[in-house]
Amino acid sequence: MNRIDTTTIAAIATPPGRGGVGIVRVSGPLALTIAKTITGVDPEPRYAHFTKFFDEQEGIIDEGLLIFFPNPHSFTGEDVLELQGHGGPVVMGLLLKRVLQCGAIHAKPGEFSERAFLNDKVDLAQAEAIADLINATTEIAAKASMQSLQGKFSERLQKLYHRMVELRVHVEAAIDFPDEDVDFLGDGVIEEKLKKIIIDCDVLQQQTKQGAILQQGMSVVIAGKPNAGKSSLLNQLAAKEAAIVTDIAGTTRDVLREYIQLDGMPLHIIDTAGLRETNDAVEKKGVERALCEIKKADKIILLVENLEDITLDGATPENTIVVQNKIDLTGERPGVTTHKNYTLVKLSAKTGDGLALLKQTLKQSVGFSAPSEDGFIARARHVDAIARSMQALQIGLKQLQQFNAGECLAEELRLAHNNLGEILGTMSADDLLGEIFSSFCIGK
């Protein structure tokens, strides 16, 4: 996919604000000329030159380090220049202005990473991992992002991708040479290879789901009637007094949000107003917001005092954990059971007794476990693409087993192959690339 771009882009690569160091990054064919024009230095490749940065009238803008990375041995695969000065917004603005006067143009968000992808320095999954590493909110997420950036996820995908290519070649040969003495479709070899690919694809799918949870977290709404103990549970999960707790029904009128971690799994915990009919205009608005959050949630924690209270639009055994609260009053012991196919956790939000069971149940409900050393970060689009690949592979296996239909199997293999290609960027539409890279920081 390597391409030659005749434009030179530039951006401030460090966060806005004041700091000891600020960096202006440049990429493109004018990078070396810009370096010489602004500093008067003919830079040695990959060597840090301490120099002054001059404006158009040869006045000194700042002084700092100049580093030049000639193509193709740079992040973008183009000539790259970094001007490292003092990190004040005025100084950085003047330095960027001078670079633009020398012929560069403003970089779009993510354009440096996009050029690295287009010039085959990274694949699409690795490029996305750059943004995920920057935005990581947990130590585990940062480590998993670095694993993806180093190519762990891509390596797994590439192996599966190439095995699909080999199988497609085998199937196409069986279709093209039907008069040979050997029945290539019916001799069991293709079926056995396809089954192994499905097994490995399923394992990859589960690991990708883990990576997606690390990347985006999981939204969990605490719902229930007034005085069920929702705010007390929020405080226990957040390990602080995040919400006001009183004996007065309807204390919570709005949506309260807290961010927590469960063994590295990011959780966005949302406390909501008690669900009931009310004539109070403010409380009614709070109930409306609660119902809206419930519809959007990945998981619902439904607090009840009596098991007959398990009634909530949108609540299903798949997306809901029922919590029977206030066991400190009933004398019951904490535990995890099932009730009407719902997972039921008994605890006390007041004392915290049974809280560990709820945390463990939350992790188990999404299949989350502490990532291994070869764990990687992933995104929702990756999970979707692998799920579509799995579906196509399973349809293809059915077509082979029941009908010995080589043409149908070939088509399903093509679809599965293309779906994996979407993740790596080998089968990406321009509008998808634009959407992905537009979410990056400017300067990356």
Side-chain angles (χ1 to χ4, degrees):
M1 197 180 294
N2 189 280
R3 72 169 193 181
I4 299 175
D5 200 315
T6 57
T7 60
T8 298
I9 57 173
I12 299 172
T14 41
R18 293 175 176 83
V21 177
I23 300 173
V24 172
R25 178 172 290 155
V26 183
S27 179
L30 292 179
L32 182 58
T33 300
I34 291 172
K36 295 176 180 178
T37 302
I38 292 178
T39 67
V41 174
D42 187 359
E44 182 181 341
R46 292 173 295 280
Y47 180 85
H49 298 267
F50 181 73
T51 182
K52 294 180 174 58
F53 306 136
F54 297 99
D55 62 20
E56 199 171 7
Q57 284 76 40
E58 298 188 358
I60 299 174
I61 299 173
D62 194 11
E63 61 181 11
L65 296 180
L66 157 68
I67 307 177
F68 176 66
F69 304 90
N71 75 83
H73 306 295
S74 70
F75 171 66
T76 63
E78 304 172 333
D79 287 349
V80 171
L81 168 69
E82 285 194 359
L83 303 173
Q84 302 181 9
H86 295 93
V90 174
V91 174
M92 285 289 100
L94 289 171
L95 191 53
L96 177 60
K97 179 182 177 181
R98 180 67 180 120
V99 169
L100 298 178
Q101 287 175 344
C102 293
I105 62 173
H106 276 288
K108 301 188 295 291
E111 191 169 2
F112 289 91
S113 297
E114 183 179 16
R115 290 191 177 198
F117 165 69
L118 292 172
N119 291 323
D120 295 327
K121 302 300 289 187
V122 295
D123 61 38
L124 193 54
Q126 289 175 294
E128 289 173 303
I130 296 168
D132 294 334
L133 180 60
I134 294 169
N135 296 322
T137 55
T138 69
E139 182 179 343
I140 291 176
K143 289 180 178 178
S145 298
M146 180 53 68
Q147 290 281 73
S148 286
L149 181 55
Q150 294 297 312
K152 295 294 184 181
F153 183 30
S154 300
E155 183 180 329
R156 296 283 303 280
L157 285 166
Q158 288 282 7
K159 287 181 179 178
L160 197 58
Y161 189 79
H162 290 304
R163 284 170 63 193
M164 286 187 185
V165 171
E166 292 173 2
L167 188 57
R168 286 185 67 187
V169 170
H170 199 156
V171 172
E172 294 290 349
I175 295 171
D176 291 340
F177 302 101
D179 297 328
E180 297 294 322
D181 293 335
V182 180
D183 181 6
F184 291 105
L185 288 174
D187 64 4
V189 175
I190 288 177
E191 181 179 348
E192 187 64 25
K193 288 184 176 181
L194 179 55
K195 285 180 178 178
K196 288 180 179 178
I197 288 176
I198 289 174
I199 291 171
D200 290 345
C201 191
D202 182 56
V203 172
L204 183 61
Q205 184 177 33
Q206 298 310 313
Q207 291 181 311
T208 305
K209 287 179 179 178
Q210 295 268 319
I213 292 173
L214 286 175
Q215 194 268 341
Q216 63 191 25
M218 183 172 67
S219 64
V220 179
V221 167
I222 305 175
K225 293 182 178 180
N227 267 1
K230 299 184 298 299
S231 295
S232 295
L233 182 58
L234 174 69
N235 291 344
Q236 287 285 358
L237 290 169
K240 65 179 183 180
E241 294 295 318
I244 297 172
V245 176
T246 72
D247 294 329
I248 303 171
T251 303
T252 302
R253 300 293 188 94
D254 206 346
V255 172
L256 297 178
R257 304 175 189 272
E258 283 294 323
Y259 173 81
I260 69 170
Q261 296 181 37
L262 292 184
D263 297 334
M265 181 175 78
L267 283 185
H268 305 279
I269 305 291
I270 304 166
D271 183 22
T272 57
L275 302 175
R276 68 174 177 180
E277 295 290 333
T278 177
N279 292 321
D280 184 300
V282 178
E283 188 178 357
K284 183 180 290 186
K285 187 67 175 178
V287 172
E288 290 175 0
R289 290 186 177 182
L291 293 173
C292 181
E293 292 295 334
I294 288 168
K295 290 179 181 178
K296 297 186 296 182
D298 295 316
K299 285 289 176 182
I300 302 167
I301 297 177
L302 180 58
L303 262 67
V304 299
E305 291 186 48
N306 302 305
L307 296 182
E308 291 74 22
D309 293 336
I310 306 178
T311 54
L312 179 65
D313 289 342
T316 67
E318 290 73 32
N319 70 358
T320 306
I321 298 171
V322 176
V323 172
Q324 190 172 11
N325 190 23
K326 303 185 181 180
I327 62 171
D328 54 304
L329 301 179
T330 64
E332 295 181 78
R333 294 182 61 80
V336 181
T337 59
T338 57
H339 180 78
K340 295 182 179 179
N341 294 325
Y342 285 90
T343 299
L344 173 65
V345 180
K346 295 184 178 183
L347 56 71
S348 169
K350 182 177 181 180
T351 66
D353 199 15
L355 185 68
L357 292 174
L358 175 60
K359 291 179 178 180
Q360 185 64 27
T361 301
L362 273 170
K363 290 189 294 182
Q364 290 175 347
S365 70
V366 293
F368 183 85
S369 58
S372 59
E373 288 297 319
D374 60 349
F376 48 80
I377 206 77
R379 295 187 170 198
R381 80 173 192 90
H382 303 156
V383 176
D384 175 65
I386 294 176
R388 285 185 279 117
S389 288
M390 275 289 291
Q391 183 181 29
L393 291 171
Q394 289 166 342
I395 292 173
L397 179 61
K398 182 179 178 181
Q399 293 290 339
L400 178 63
Q401 290 176 330
Q402 295 185 4
F403 310 108
N404 205 38
E407 290 84 357
C408 294
L409 172 58
E411 175 59 17
E412 297 302 331
L413 285 173
R414 185 189 68 81
L415 293 173
H417 189 212
N418 288 354
N419 289 330
L420 287 189
E422 288 181 13
I423 302 176
L424 294 166
T426 57
M427 299 287 180
S428 294
D430 289 342
D431 55 348
L432 174 62
L433 294 181
E435 183 179 339
I436 289 170
F437 286 108
S438 66
S439 65
F440 281 42
C441 303
I442 293 176
K444 290 304 294 179

